Amino acid sequence: MRLAVLLSGRGSNFASIHEAIAKGRLDAEIAAVISNRADAPGIQRARDWGYDARVIDNRQFPNRAAHESEIRKVLDEARPDIIVMAGYMRLLSATFVAAWMNRIVNIHPSLLPSFPGVDAQAQALAHGVKVTGCTVHFVDEGLDAGPIIVQRTVEVRDDDSVETLSARILEQEHIAYVDALRILAAGNYVIEGRRVRRMK
Ligand code: GRF
């Protein structure tokens, strides 16, 4: 399974996927890493590890279509099976999503459909939920929508801050993303409406 990773920042999910591949826990290959930010620590890691790492800065394009068309050129070369959004802070257009239907995945730091959008961990704290977590899902044209592949739960503690809660969720994200990609690599699943079901 060939992967293209899209990121904008730290890149810890990308790092955990890299490590799972390096240690033989995930049968996949990272064909390209694309960042919309030149200063993303994740793109530096990608270079250090010898990946085809590209910065395609959205601010240098007149509009979303022009930016995405540049991304698509890299993807056409890299020929990924799956596009992995790992902290990619840009919305993809409906046209882009349609072109890669059921082949783009994202991770979100809440149990969707609760708390989509930015600051999901702060939303969870503000709402007072006792359990939150993370979700790996296929990307459709909605915001943090799309069929769910894996979720992992995290208990909210009375003394949690956004930082402490985010850190515990992030640990689970790293496990969840690799688990989800293992399911995709094995290929033994069907998408029926919103349900992703594994076949025996
Ligand atoms: C993660 O919390 C992820 O759920 C969200 O963005 C953050 C990315 O972190 N979509 P990292 O760049 O993978 O460290």
Side-chain angles (χ1 to χ4, degrees):
M1 179 171 70
R2 291 171 69 80
L3 306 177
V5 177
L6 299 187
L7 55 78
S8 303
R10 183 173 55 186
S12 73
N13 279 289
F14 157 55
S16 83
I17 294 164
H18 160 80
E19 192 183 309
I21 294 171
K23 294 197 168 154
R25 286 187 283 114
L26 172 63
D27 187 11
E29 181 186 338
I30 296 176
V33 182
I34 302 171
S35 171
N36 66 314
R37 300 282 311 253
D39 59 358
I43 205 75
Q44 190 54 51
R45 296 195 206 212
R47 292 204 173 104
D48 293 346
W49 292 330
Y51 290 119
D52 180 354
R54 315 276 186 108
V55 174
I56 306 176
D57 187 339
N58 53 286
R59 291 167 300 189
Q60 290 172 356
F61 294 86
N63 52 45
R64 191 179 301 277
H67 181 233
E68 287 184 351
S69 131
E70 200 60 30
I71 293 175
R72 286 178 77 161
K73 280 187 204 161
V74 175
L75 295 175
D76 287 345
E77 268 177 55
R79 293 176 293 103
D81 299 298
I82 299 287
I83 298 173
V84 177
M85 295 175 72
Y88 185 67
M89 300 306 286
R90 303 273 306 161
L91 279 179
L92 296 171
S93 70
T95 314
F96 188 100
V97 170
W100 290 87
M101 200 48 158
N102 297 336
R103 292 174 63 197
I104 312 174
V105 293
N106 182 43
I107 188 155
H108 184 76
S110 74
L111 295 176
L112 291 170
S114 291
F115 315 128
V118 293
D119 298 331
Q121 303 94 331
Q123 291 186 55
L125 276 181
H127 199 90
V129 294
K130 301 300 183 193
V131 178
T132 182
C134 60
T135 304
V136 183
H137 63 93
F138 286 108
V139 172
D140 66 12
E141 60 289 339
L143 173 66
D144 298 323
I148 291 169
I149 308 164
V150 167
Q151 292 187 302
R152 291 183 72 88
T153 58
V154 172
E155 279 187 26
V156 180
R157 297 180 186 155
D158 286 349
D159 60 354
D160 260 331
S161 62
V162 173
E163 290 72 30
T164 59
L165 180 59
S166 300
R168 291 205 312 291
I169 294 174
L170 192 63
E171 284 174 17
Q172 298 306 313
E173 290 186 36
H174 297 160
I175 300 168
Y177 226 155
V178 171
D179 283 352
L181 292 174
R182 285 167 57 102
I183 292 170
L184 301 192
N188 58 343
Y189 63 93
V190 284
I191 306 174
E192 291 173 352
R194 290 204 44 85
R195 295 182 74 188
V196 179
R197 292 178 34 201
R198 295 171 75 173
M199 298 174 301
K200 291 280 176 265

